[in-house]
Amino acid sequence: MVYSKAKQPPFSPYMIRSSAPRPVNLTHLILEALRLPSSAIAYHVSYQLSEYYPDKIILEGDSHYFDLQKFAEEGHCETRTITSVSSSTGYAPKQRATTVYNHTMTQWNAKKQEPRRDQKNVCFEVLWQKHRLIVLKLSWPQGYFERHYYWILADSQAAADDFFATVCGWNSDVRDEVMVFEGGLWHKSRDLFESIQSATLDNLILAGSLKEDIYADVEQFFSAKAMYTEYNVPWKRGILFIGPPGNGKTHMVKALINTSGYPCLYIKSFKTRQSTDTDNMRVAFERVRETAPCIVVIEDLDALIDDENRSFFLNELDGFALNDGVLMIASTNHPERLDMAILERPSRFDRKYHFELPGIPERVAYLTLWNQKLKPDMQLSPTELDAIATAADGFSFAYLKELLLSASMSWVQQRTPGSMVNVMTDQLDKLRSQMESQSSAPIQNGDGGHTGARSLESIGSLAAIKQAEGSL
């Protein structure tokens, strides 16, 4: 669907008119409704609006896809908060117009260093494709959640339906964003999408043809829909990345997201205080099926699936529900914690790829790749690179990154050309001692460990090295 950002015709004043046979007071309506039991609010407001605007079609609901604020911010329609309502001329002049109080909360956006306005209980006039509509939005607590409800008032059913479908369709699209599921809800994260853009297959070092094999597997899945259909095989696939933390699993996932061009839905957790795991799984997979074809990412699968939710999770993977176009990529540092029903049954995770500790060739390639990004005075010679790679036996890629970062920071303090190999050797010994002291605990620098581990949302530390270099 194409969404036009064309300039809309100018608005009339902020007052709207009602043909109701009695005075219209939207502020009183809102206050009265919010004092009612939550189960009665929607009905009460709907009835009153039908009395106030008998010549309007009313469309109402609470779909999370109807985010009018974002739709308007992108220029697809114009909205004006309604400040007063004018009633029929039969009333005394002072009774013909009533003020509308609009409740807007102001939050602070720390990243952008600016206030953010969140519309809570607000009445809008909307201009969209030559249609003038009225939208009333109310919010009230319901259980552990806050319910957001809307009423769209239009001149015709077609106008209401088209506007509703356009706003929801636009919000359901995933554009330069990652969908994140946490707290029992989905939300879009542009920051997360931007943070993973630097991850490519070119800057990923893995043993042998592992990354090429995985990439070919993913590419073939998305291009083979016709073949799946021809042989009456469900067009879905599951891939499981297995291996100790810090060896490229997360980088591989990020690179696949960047190269595939398909929406990514990232499931962080099924746990909430207000809902059961099965409720949250149902919500999560409903959105997955609506978004397909897509990539679903679940890191630390062993931490998300337990004895209580396993059966429902397996049913969502390959039960009666149709998962056409869904490629699920999961990872685990502890395959021994996974049930055999997940590990061994192909219809759930069809392929398992193992990410082992890098050998000498991979360590040399990784160090060489980073060495090229350093300034000449900081770079190691080929002989020095080989020596460091050999000495770093047992280091994961995450530990190699920490070695490069800590050595670069230490070198900046000395600024002695040609001394990087000595600085790196010293840092390597310190990291080796740290590894040995933590041999019985999870490694903190991993790409998916449960304790301070790196995840899909982590950002590489190259920026820190560049910042340090900039001080030279």
Side-chain angles (χ1 to χ4, degrees):
M1 185 177 292
V2 177
Y3 304 97
S4 173
K5 289 189 178 184
K7 181 67 176 177
Q8 304 281 6
F11 260 99
S12 60
Y14 299 94
M15 178 183 289
I16 60 171
R17 300 186 182 278
S18 168
S19 59
R22 57 192 178 89
V24 174
N25 190 325
L26 289 181
T27 299
H28 178 75
L29 168 62
I30 294 171
L31 288 172
E32 187 179 54
L34 294 179
R35 293 191 183 107
L36 296 173
S38 59
S39 59
I41 294 175
Y43 183 86
H44 176 78
V45 174
S46 300
Y47 174 76
Q48 291 296 331
L49 288 176
S50 67
E51 291 285 300
Y52 288 164
Y53 299 96
D55 56 340
K56 298 287 187 182
I57 295 296
I58 300 178
L59 185 155
E60 62 182 280
D62 61 355
S63 172
H64 61 274
Y65 289 122
F66 188 76
D67 191 333
L68 179 58
Q69 183 172 348
K70 288 184 179 179
F71 187 74
E73 286 173 352
E74 291 295 319
H76 302 302
C77 70
E78 286 193 25
T79 61
R80 299 272 182 95
T81 52
I82 295 171
T83 57
S84 61
V85 179
S86 175
S87 301
S88 301
T89 57
Y91 301 105
K94 65 179 182 179
Q95 294 180 313
R96 292 175 187 169
T98 57
T99 301
V100 181
Y101 178 76
N102 292 286
H103 181 200
T104 301
M105 297 182 64
T106 301
Q107 309 288 352
W108 180 248
N109 188 324
K111 182 176 181 179
K112 295 183 178 180
Q113 290 293 294
E114 63 184 23
R116 184 184 75 248
R117 314 295 180 189
D118 290 338
Q119 299 156 342
K120 195 170 179 67
N121 300 301
V122 187
C123 191
F124 299 101
E125 183 183 19
V126 180
L127 183 60
W128 171 75
Q129 294 186 1
K130 299 181 180 180
H131 294 289
R132 287 181 181 270
L133 307 101
I134 300 172
V135 176
L136 173 64
K137 173 186 173 183
L138 295 185
S139 303
W140 62 85
Q142 187 157 322
Y144 287 94
F145 293 103
E146 185 172 62
R147 190 176 188 186
H148 302 284
Y149 207 94
Y150 49 81
W151 292 262
I152 302 170
L153 283 70
D155 292 330
S156 67
Q157 189 70 55
D161 289 343
D162 290 347
F163 176 66
F164 176 73
T166 302
V167 175
C168 292
W170 182 85
N171 279 293
S172 65
D173 289 345
V174 182
R175 300 168 298 276
D176 297 335
E177 300 154 324
V178 172
M179 293 297 303
V180 181
F181 186 79
E182 59 181 333
L185 299 169
W186 283 103
H187 67 88
K188 294 181 178 181
S189 176
R190 185 162 293 179
D191 290 341
L192 178 54
F193 177 83
E194 292 174 352
S195 74
I196 68 176
Q197 293 308 296
S198 60
T200 67
L201 294 173
D202 293 335
N203 60 19
L204 173 62
I205 306 297
L206 293 176
S209 61
L210 180 59
K211 69 177 180 181
E212 290 81 9
D213 293 343
I214 297 174
Y215 175 74
D217 194 348
V218 172
E219 186 178 43
Q220 183 180 26
F221 168 75
F222 283 118
S223 63
K225 180 180 180 180
M227 184 184 70
Y228 279 81
T229 302
E230 180 182 354
Y231 291 97
N232 198 29
V233 176
W235 183 41
K236 64 185 183 68
R237 190 160 181 79
I239 295 175
L240 183 62
F241 293 168
I242 300 172
N247 290 302
K249 298 190 297 296
T250 296
H251 190 142
M252 186 74 225
V253 172
K254 293 178 180 179
L256 290 173
I257 295 169
N258 290 335
T259 57
S260 72
Y262 287 91
C264 172
L265 289 84
Y266 175 38
I267 298 177
K268 291 184 67 175
S269 175
F270 294 118
K271 299 290 185 183
T272 60
R273 292 191 305 168
Q274 64 272 18
S275 304
T276 65
D277 289 8
T278 56
D279 289 337
N280 292 330
M281 286 179 181
R282 186 179 295 108
V283 172
F285 277 93
E286 282 177 358
R287 181 61 191 267
V288 165
R289 296 180 187 109
E290 291 172 357
T291 308
C294 62
I295 295 176
V296 180
V297 176
I298 301 181
E299 292 188 295
D300 296 330
L301 182 63
D302 55 280
L304 270 65
I305 307 304
D306 55 33
D307 292 340
E308 294 183 1
N309 63 27
R310 183 185 303 111
S311 295
F312 193 87
F313 176 74
L314 296 177
N315 185 62
E316 290 293 326
L317 287 185
D318 63 355
F320 288 107
L322 192 63
N323 288 327
D324 267 8
V326 176
L327 172 66
M328 178 167 291
I329 303 177
S331 66
T332 178
N333 302 329
H334 303 283
E336 72 280 359
R337 298 177 183 174
L338 291 174
D339 190 90
M340 288 297 104
I342 295 176
L343 277 178
E344 301 299 332
R345 185 166 173 175
S347 63
R348 287 155 183 171
F349 289 98
D350 310 278
R351 288 294 303 274
K352 289 85 177 174
Y353 292 99
H354 292 266
F355 290 68
E356 306 296 347
L357 288 170
I360 289 182
E362 291 76 49
R363 296 199 296 272
V364 169
Y366 187 85
L367 293 171
T368 300
L369 182 66
W370 278 73
N371 193 53
Q372 294 169 352
K373 301 174 183 178
L374 302 177
K375 290 187 175 181
D377 287 347
M378 302 175 70
Q379 290 183 354
L380 300 175
S381 68
T383 301
E384 292 169 341
L385 277 173
D386 289 341
I388 294 295
T390 301
D393 181 46
F395 274 42
S396 66
F397 288 118
Y399 260 85
L400 289 174
K401 176 184 282 190
E402 176 57 27
L403 171 62
L404 286 156
L405 176 60
S406 59
S408 297
M409 293 301 179
S410 297
W411 188 92
V412 167
Q413 305 304 316
Q414 303 175 7
R415 308 181 186 223
T416 304
S419 65
M420 176 59 88
V421 66
N422 296 325
V423 174
M424 193 169 288
T425 300
D426 180 60
Q427 293 298 319
L428 192 151
D429 292 339
K430 292 179 180 179
L431 285 173
R432 176 77 66 187
S433 298
Q434 177 181 324
M435 289 173 60
E436 292 173 353
S437 66
Q438 295 182 347
S439 59
S440 60
I443 295 177
Q444 299 294 315
N445 295 41
D447 67 351
H450 307 310
T451 309
R454 187 161 57 96
S455 71
L456 184 65
E457 295 182 293
S458 66
I459 301 175
S461 53
L462 177 59
I465 292 180
K466 290 184 176 180
Q467 183 178 6
E469 291 177 356
S471 66
L472 295 178

